Amino acid sequence: MSQVFSEETHRNLLARIPHCTGREVADWLRTVEEGPALRFEEKVSWLRHEYDLAYGHAKAIIHEYDLRRAARRF
């Protein structure tokens, strides 16, 4: 079962990603865009295993990707 993060937790995780991974969030979003077409949790697992990310960081990246993708549809 996946964790549900508050908006504040999500923003805090995003803010820490560059420090913890050495890559900006925009770089990670491009990586997801270019990666395999998978379901949410599968994308999280893919990021974790392919790039050795922590669960929270991987989930925050995928969640942010989905939020931005949804915003583009309007």
Side-chain angles (χ1 to χ4, degrees):
M1 185 172 163
S2 68
Q3 288 178 289
V4 177
F5 297 135
S6 70
E7 183 63 26
E8 180 181 2
T9 300
H10 174 68
R11 294 288 157 216
N12 288 337
L13 283 167
L14 284 180
R16 299 271 310 141
I17 285 172
H19 173 74
C20 294
T21 68
R23 290 177 62 183
E24 294 296 321
V25 172
D27 293 336
W28 286 113
L29 296 176
R30 278 191 295 279
T31 298
V32 173
E33 181 71 29
E34 296 166 358
L38 303 168
R39 296 172 129 172
F40 185 91
E41 285 296 331
E42 292 169 330
K43 287 180 187 176
V44 172
S45 292
W46 171 72
L47 277 180
R48 290 184 68 208
H49 297 293
E50 189 72 21
Y51 297 98
D52 198 30
L53 292 178
Y55 176 77
H57 292 143
K59 184 170 179 175
I61 290 166
I62 300 302
H63 182 63
E64 187 67 18
Y65 174 80
D66 286 350
L67 287 173
R68 292 183 187 195
R69 187 178 58 158
R72 288 191 306 237
R73 291 184 184 168
F74 292 110

